[in-house]
Amino acid sequence: MKVKAALQDIPVYQPGKPLEEVKREFGLDEVIKLASNENPFGCSPTVWESLSTERDFFSLYPEGGAPLLRQQLATHLKVEPERLIFGNGSDEIIQMIGRAFLEPGTETVMADITFPRYKTQALIEGAKAVEIPLKDGVHDLDGMAEAINERTRIVWICNPNNPTGTIITAEQLATFMKKVPPHVLVVLDEAYEEYVTDPEYPDGIKEVLANPRVIVLRTFSKIYGLAAFRIGYGVMDASLIQDINRVREPFNVNRLAQRAALAGLADQDFVNQCRKANREGIELFESHLTKLGLHYFPSQGNFVLMDTGRNADEMFHHLLTKGIIVRSGVSLGYPTYIRVTVGSQEQNIQFLNELDVAKSE
């Protein structure tokens, strides 16, 4: 049996090395994972307690439209509930958008180094992925606007961008939107929005309310610390929700995920504490890297892409032997860089100490 042609050149996603595997391989008792941009502080302590309320409903299918979460999230975002769609992570919503609007003969525009699911989904649908090189790690919005033509259906903007952590500003986005023709959707992937502290960052929800061509994607996997539950959401015009629902799988978000997201959403004190600790961690990284004379991209996410001055795979393996899992930049398009998730203060210091040792070797 031969796989369909559109899939033949698509690589299989390779997750980071599991903690237990690293422990066994190197004989380690403790390993810290700073590779997948997960929240080192876990999730709100109220989540576990909230899950106990669902134990009598395990035999039932979940509510397909997530009504309780829909209402609470709509209130939190100050939007109509009809503007929300939920997915098995925001990855699934990317998949649904691609299925609904891309087909052979169409094109979609994105940065050349960004979240890879945009390109993967385009290729699955038989569409052409037009990749515009980043400029100093930032989306080249002028170049992306120039790449739009009559075949373009979607423009993807990861903001903050993964893996560089950089942002486009509200002013830059406003200028770009004036150049986008009415037949093109603009997807603002804001998975790390809750971590942003830069006042120039655009208000994605405001953009959605002002323009029916804009879609905002967010997730409960990052600052809310619910990655294991796989739940994300999209905010958009209600007419787009109707179209995308045609390709949404029934009961795509499980009941426990909906309940966990409700509890996480209600605990904004936890979110604020994580944002503060994350910014302190980034500032520690930046200060240390500056002293070492190493380049880094200024990040508004919960990770930093930093130059190591040597082959990134070698640095990755060196850190691995010390019980620290990071992400090599070789596969990301930055062969001497590593992407490091901001951890707890203790984890950050441990990583920087090992970076110092590696730098001196």
Side-chain angles (χ1 to χ4, degrees):
M1 183 68 68
K2 187 176 182 180
V3 71
K4 66 181 184 179
L7 302 183
Q8 290 179 2
D9 296 326
I10 298 176
V12 176
Y13 177 76
Q14 298 296 326
K17 291 177 75 69
L19 293 175
E20 292 306 317
E21 180 180 331
V22 175
K23 287 181 181 180
R24 288 195 304 270
E25 184 175 350
F26 297 102
L28 300 169
D29 295 324
E30 296 295 332
V31 173
I32 61 174
K33 185 182 177 187
L34 303 177
S36 299
N37 304 340
E38 296 149 330
N39 190 336
F41 306 108
C43 63
S44 166
T46 64
V47 169
W48 179 250
E49 180 180 351
S50 75
L51 296 180
S52 65
T53 64
E54 299 299 319
R55 61 188 174 189
D56 294 330
F57 300 98
F58 288 176
S59 62
L60 304 179
Y61 288 108
E63 295 285 354
L68 295 179
L69 178 59
R70 177 183 301 277
Q71 188 58 57
Q72 290 304 311
L73 184 59
T75 300
H76 177 71
L77 299 175
K78 298 181 173 60
V79 301
E80 299 92 342
E82 295 77 18
R83 288 183 176 273
L84 296 173
I85 191 168
F86 296 91
N88 186 31
S90 56
D91 301 51
E92 189 194 19
I93 305 177
I94 292 170
Q95 181 185 70
M96 290 190 284
I97 293 170
R99 284 181 175 176
F101 299 108
L102 296 177
E103 58 187 337
T106 63
E107 297 182 3
T108 178
V109 177
M110 63 199 70
D112 65 334
I113 300 176
T114 190
F115 190 52
R117 299 309 300 176
Y118 316 142
K119 181 178 181 179
T120 298
Q121 193 59 42
L123 296 178
I124 290 172
E125 304 303 332
K128 179 181 179 181
V130 180
E131 299 174 274
I132 307 303
L134 296 173
K135 283 189 174 180
D136 297 323
V138 181
H139 283 72
D140 177 8
L141 294 184
D142 290 337
M144 295 175 79
E146 291 174 3
I148 295 173
N149 57 41
E150 68 279 0
R151 296 179 297 278
T152 307
R153 294 294 176 268
I154 305 170
V155 175
W156 304 90
I157 300 174
C158 190
N159 197 38
N161 186 44
N162 180 9
T164 58
T166 57
I167 65 166
I168 61 165
T169 67
E171 182 179 357
Q172 290 167 339
L173 180 60
T175 301
F176 172 75
M177 288 304 302
K178 293 175 183 177
K179 302 175 182 177
V180 179
H183 70 278
V184 176
L185 293 174
V186 176
V187 180
L188 303 176
D189 188 345
E190 298 183 344
Y192 301 93
E193 182 270 343
E194 291 88 356
Y195 284 111
V196 176
T197 59
D198 191 328
E200 298 301 313
Y201 186 72
D203 184 339
I205 303 302
K206 182 178 179 181
E207 294 294 329
V208 168
L209 297 177
N211 194 324
R213 295 173 293 150
V214 176
I215 295 174
V216 162
L217 303 181
R218 292 183 184 173
T219 183
F220 286 97
S221 295
K222 300 305 179 184
I223 205 167
Y224 287 97
L226 300 176
F229 289 92
R230 306 305 298 128
I231 180 165
Y233 62 94
V235 190
M236 64 195 80
D237 191 80
S239 64
L240 294 177
I241 297 281
Q242 291 180 348
D243 291 333
I244 294 174
N245 268 330
R246 300 177 192 275
V247 299
R248 180 176 64 84
E249 295 293 333
F251 317 119
N252 62 320
V253 178
N254 72 77
R255 191 178 190 100
L256 293 178
Q258 293 180 35
R259 176 57 63 180
L262 264 172
L265 184 66
D267 192 352
Q268 289 300 308
D269 286 341
F270 174 79
V271 171
N272 293 333
Q273 290 165 10
C274 291
R275 181 189 301 110
K276 180 176 182 293
N278 182 75
R279 180 47 48 185
E280 291 171 351
I282 286 182
E283 290 174 355
L284 175 64
F285 279 5
E286 291 179 343
S287 174
H288 199 89
L289 292 167
T290 298
K291 291 178 182 177
L292 293 177
L294 296 175
H295 176 263
Y296 59 87
F297 290 99
S299 177
Q300 287 293 317
N302 69 334
F303 55 89
V304 176
L305 184 64
M306 60 185 73
D307 195 355
T308 67
R310 57 192 283 190
N311 180 275
D313 282 347
E314 293 178 1
M315 179 63 77
F316 164 80
H317 287 291
H318 170 83
L319 292 171
L320 202 60
T321 64
K322 305 301 181 182
I324 302 173
I325 309 174
V326 298
R327 182 73 184 272
S328 169
V330 171
S331 62
L332 304 175
Y334 290 93
T336 62
Y337 286 67
I338 55 175
R339 191 191 67 188
V340 185
T341 303
V342 178
S344 65
Q345 184 180 34
E346 180 182 3
Q347 291 171 339
N348 295 337
I349 292 173
Q350 184 177 344
F351 160 72
L352 291 173
N353 287 340
E354 292 298 341
L355 183 66
D356 286 344
V357 172
K359 187 78 167 67
S360 63
E361 290 180 348

